[in-house]
Amino acid sequence: MLSIPAGTSMNSFNKRTAVRIAIVSMLLAAVASPLAWVVAHKTAEEDTVSLAMEESGRLLHHFGAIRLGDADAGTRASQAANTLAGGLFDIAEIYNRRGNKLALAMTGEGQAVEAQLPQHTRPNYNKPSYQSLTLNDGRWVLRVFVPLQEAAGNGEITGYFEGVRVIPAWQRKQMLANALRAALMVCLASLLCGAAIYPVVVRLSADNARKAREILDSHIAMMEALGRAIAKRDSETGAHNFRVAWIAARIAERLGLPEQAMQSLIVGSFLHDVGKISIPDAILRKPGGLDAAELERMQTHVTQGEEIVGGIGWLQDARAVVAAHHEKWDGSGYPRGLAGEVIPLAARIFAVADVFDALCSRRPYKEPMTFDQAMAILDKGTGSHFDPDVMTAFRPIAAEVFDRLDQCSEEDARRLLEERIRRYFG
């Protein structure tokens, strides 16, 4: 029985899968780790700002700096600014509701960076915000902008607080360490995920490959069963099916047909005469020549075969050969009288293989021709029966094909075709 190898290169597949999963895992780690670092860094930054805003709000309320319309507003604002500048902030500025500055306090760090900070107009905002700045000297500062309200988020704005914090080296190191830790965790998780899914992917792929192979084996078994059914009706077609499918594959290889086209060509060549199942024995096995009516009936095997393979999904692609294997390059063939490149390429390839095998094979009514005799007939039919390009591809291998098939038994022909099936269906 024709078959394909059961485990062509599972180890090779496993290696390829391992390499691909490793590459994807590393790419994921390479992309996700920097993102995790950025997110962790941003989160640490926002946490620092949130703490500063919360603490500044608490101190401003403590000193009554929220109520900046009173007579002693400047005093209270200065007290609050001095306290804030000595704690969470290196620069603390407090403004009244009109944007006039009431107080300014700075540490030594604040004085060092003040000139490098972007200048801005009078404050006029209603929501807290912040800026993260890297100064020319490499220092990293966080600048917060907080509208002052009697009732948090709802009351009337009574003034503004702006603070600048120069992030100290220890805090920068801590934030960097936390961000790197998050990035490394994401990187490790990506690699562990790849390692975990590898055996799952291999097992699923092996199951899919096994099921696909079983389906393909059943298809090939069906193809061979149809071939045997034809051979039972017409003894001339048994080994002939194997030989012509092999010859057609050899020609197609010279023409560079892709794998899918090779599969269709092989199946179509093997089943080219499937329509003969419908021809009565009185015609199919008649020892002498056929009269006009019988010949017309015999020619219906083409359309009958087309209908048979057309009703089987996976044989659809074989239809080109089955339906057009008796068409001729000059349009004198049947059943549709197609000509030139309108004839499917697979059918044009098969026509050369079919006639060559018929001429070189022994039949009950004739002896096999010599190689030179057969090639003389094919050369004469080039441009009328046969596609010149197909013949150009066939000539260099014709002698080798003839020698390989000379005195070739049906079992030998079966093995030759099985080699091609292993190559293109495995």
Side-chain angles (χ1 to χ4, degrees), residues 167-174:
I167 304 299
W170 67 265
Q171 190 175 13
R172 295 182 69 169
K173 290 180 180 179
Q174 184 181 57

Side-chain angles (χ1 to χ4, degrees), residues 306-340:
E306 186 178 1
E307 291 176 8
I308 291 171
V309 298
I312 303 174
W314 76 278
L315 291 179
Q316 257 327 322
D317 291 339
R319 193 170 183 171
V321 174
V322 174
H325 69 280
H326 280 296
E327 302 289 354
K328 296 183 179 180
W329 182 255
D330 63 4
S332 63
Y334 68 89
R336 295 179 175 87
L338 303 179

Side-chain angles (χ1 to χ4, degrees), residues 84-269:
L84 289 168
L88 287 171
F89 297 97
D90 293 289
I91 301 176
E93 298 175 298
I94 298 176
Y95 300 81
N96 63 19
R97 73 179 66 200
R98 292 185 296 276
N100 297 320
K101 186 182 295 185
L102 297 178
L104 168 65
M106 290 186 287
T107 64
E109 285 280 356
Q111 292 174 356
V113 302
E114 182 188 23
Q116 300 182 60
L117 298 176
Q119 300 300 312
H120 63 84
T121 59
R122 289 186 177 187
N124 183 23
Y125 41 81
N126 54 22
K127 291 183 180 180
S129 62
Y130 78 96
Q131 290 179 334
S132 176
L133 304 170
T134 300
L135 304 181
N136 294 333
D137 59 8
R139 301 190 204 199
W140 177 26
V141 301
L142 295 176
R143 193 175 189 182
V144 299
F145 305 90
V146 183
L148 304 178
Q149 298 171 285
E150 285 283 359
N154 297 316
E156 179 184 359
I157 293 176
T158 60
Y160 304 92
F161 167 72
E162 297 184 3
V164 175
R165 176 175 176 80
V166 180
I167 304 299
W170 67 265
Q171 190 175 13
R172 295 182 69 169
K173 290 180 180 179
Q174 184 181 57
M175 294 170 71
L176 177 61
N178 291 338
L180 287 174
R181 192 177 298 114
L184 288 173
M185 289 178 65
V186 170
C187 177
L188 181 61
S190 299
L191 296 175
L192 288 176
C193 181
I197 67 172
Y198 169 72
V200 177
V201 171
V202 168
R203 181 167 182 174
L204 291 175
S205 297
D207 287 344
N208 287 339
R210 177 180 54 79
K211 291 174 182 176
R213 190 176 298 109
E214 288 173 355
I215 292 172
L216 184 56
D217 280 342
S218 68
H219 286 171
I220 293 174
M222 183 191 300
M223 178 184 81
E224 190 174 12
L226 284 171
R228 285 196 302 270
I230 302 166
K232 290 290 185 182
R233 298 291 319 287
D234 183 2
S235 60
E236 295 177 3
T237 63
H240 173 69
N241 288 340
F242 295 109
R243 292 195 302 266
V244 292
W246 180 75
I247 298 170
R250 291 294 311 278
I251 299 172
E253 288 168 355
R254 295 272 303 172
L255 291 169
L257 264 65
E259 182 176 293
Q260 182 62 49
M262 290 295 295
Q263 292 178 4
S264 302
L265 173 65
I266 290 171
V267 176
S269 298

